[in-house]
Amino acid sequence: MTDSDCIFCQIVAGELPATRVAEDERTVAFMDISPATRGHTLVIPRTHVEDLAAIGPEDLAACAHMAQRVAARQREVLGADGVNLLNACGQAAWQTVFHFHIHVIPRYEGDPLRLPWTPAPGDPDEIRAAGEELAG
Ligand code: 5GP
Ligand code: ZN
């Protein structure tokens, strides 16, 4: 169910700090530490599962539903003009954390993001502020 070496399992357990924006029985949504744009959020299942190939249909559906909820919040409260959903499955597809996650990336008209982005640590106060807006 959990992998003690997995940083996302540690976030689910509350052992590693993260700005959580929403959660339900199966999923947790929290701010990405190296955001591609303001409000970049990750949606994960509570249960440890490596990737898209391994996740069960109920957890996959729950993550998709949570991603839809977060995307709506990004439009409503952050003023996003659009949203990209992204999943990396496998190293060749840029996966770096091997606990399934969906990137929910708000897009703003004319923003400079080009995918794939080069992750760089964001300003923690600014990430928290965006997360608090999203959490409401
Ligand atoms: P991947 O490259 O596997 O698709 O995405 C992993 C994401 O997790 C990256 O965007 C990275 O910034 C984010 N990430 C890595 N470590 C942490 C962490 O400790 N906390 C949070 N909130 N995000 C993290
Ligand atoms: Zn995990």
Side-chain angles (χ1 to χ4, degrees):
M1 292 292 272
T2 60
D3 175 342
S4 55
D5 293 332
C6 169
I7 54 173
F8 286 179
C9 284
Q10 291 168 15
I11 286 174
V12 171
E15 294 161 8
L16 196 68
T19 301
R20 294 157 93 110
V21 302
E23 46 196 296
D24 61 21
E25 205 177 293
R26 286 185 175 271
T27 71
V28 178
F30 58 96
M31 304 307 287
D32 195 296
I33 207 168
S34 301
T37 62
R38 183 166 201 265
H40 181 171
T41 305
L42 299 173
V43 173
I44 65 172
R46 290 181 184 277
T47 299
H48 179 83
V49 63
E50 189 164 308
D51 61 17
L52 181 66
I55 192 168
E58 294 90 357
D59 272 350
L60 183 58
C63 285
H65 189 219
M66 179 58 82
Q68 185 186 41
R69 264 179 66 188
V70 170
R73 293 284 298 167
Q74 291 171 342
R75 285 174 170 272
E76 284 162 20
V77 305
L78 298 184
D81 301 303
V83 176
N84 282 122
L85 295 187
L86 181 79
N87 168 253
C89 179
Q91 219 165 352
W94 324 314
Q95 187 173 7
T96 58
V97 177
F98 289 83
H99 178 133
F100 176 87
H101 49 282
I102 299 175
H103 295 264
V104 188
I105 304 173
R107 302 304 303 270
Y108 305 92
E109 287 297 348
D111 73 40
L113 178 64
R114 296 293 173 269
L115 295 169
W117 72 101
T118 305
D123 171 41
D125 290 338
E126 165 48 25
I127 292 171
R128 199 173 312 113
E132 283 167 4
E133 280 182 59
L134 277 176

